[in-house]
Amino acid sequence: MKADALMRFMSSGSRSLEGFVVLLARILLGVFFAISGGNKLFVASQYKIMYETIAGAGLPFPQVMTYFVSSVEFVCGCLLIIGLLSTWCCIAFIIDMIVAIVTVQLATIAKGLSFIDWLDDFLYLPEVMYIIIFLWLISSGPGRLSIDRWIAVRSGLLDGVPND
């Protein structure tokens, strides 16, 4: 790679690599949440842990909420893998992550920290990073290799829009 091409890549990135990374992020997050939700739905010990977490957080109707949250993770994870309803799935996951942060994760951060130390611990929460990645996926779109893109092309929604 020539020096000028390397400098251009270092300062501007690569659109061709970006498409691959979007695909990779979408599929891997989908797999992660599909497995996590599936385990909570279909493995009794995992269901019990999820139920106890939701009940302990004081959320109403813990049994219903356990099935609901687990189902959202499983279904939206599966849809994210194939790139169908990607934006809606990311929105559902963002809401799920916000609820997890507010009801469970904030309590894990030590009390009496300075603002900077509290912020450091807060930003270290995996749910915060998931939110950032889901916001990125919403803004970048699900990528070329998605059912959402296929539907958009077939329905004429992408006329005059350059391919990514």
Side-chain angles (χ1 to χ4, degrees):
M1 181 178 271
K2 290 184 175 182
D4 62 329
L6 178 61
M7 290 303 294
R8 193 171 26 259
F9 173 76
M10 296 297 287
S11 63
S12 302
S14 168
R15 293 289 291 166
S16 60
L17 283 178
E18 182 183 23
F20 172 72
V21 174
V22 167
L23 175 68
L24 188 65
R26 195 190 79 229
I27 289 174
L28 292 180
L29 279 174
V31 167
F32 171 76
F33 279 100
I35 291 170
S36 177
N39 281 339
K40 293 169 192 169
L41 283 172
F42 306 119
V43 178
S45 62
Q46 295 297 313
Y47 171 86
K48 182 180 178 197
I49 292 169
M50 182 67 169
Y51 174 82
E52 290 169 353
T53 301
I54 287 177
L59 292 173
F61 313 109
Q63 191 161 9
V64 173
M65 290 302 292
T66 300
Y67 280 115
F68 177 75
V69 171
S70 302
S71 296
V72 165
E73 288 182 4
F74 179 69
V75 171
C76 288
C78 290
L79 291 174
L80 207 55
I81 292 168
I82 62 174
L84 179 60
L85 303 173
S86 301
T87 296
W88 292 107
C89 291
C90 287
I91 291 169
F93 280 133
I94 288 170
I95 293 167
D96 187 31
M97 296 300 101
I98 290 170
V99 171
I101 290 169
V102 170
T103 59
V104 177
Q105 296 296 65
L106 285 179
T108 67
I109 298 176
K111 307 292 183 243
L113 297 174
S114 70
F115 175 74
I116 294 295
D117 289 335
W118 183 91
L119 184 61
D120 180 50
D121 286 358
F122 176 77
L123 294 174
Y124 196 73
L125 297 173
E127 292 83 359
V128 173
M129 190 56 58
Y130 295 144
I131 290 171
I132 292 167
I133 296 169
F134 289 132
L135 289 170
W136 172 61
L137 285 173
I138 289 169
S139 65
S140 70
R144 281 181 172 200
L145 298 176
S146 67
I147 294 176
D148 289 334
R149 170 106 179 160
W150 182 83
I151 291 169
V153 168
R154 296 299 173 270
S155 64
L157 293 174
L158 295 181
D159 289 343
V161 176
N163 289 339
D164 47 8

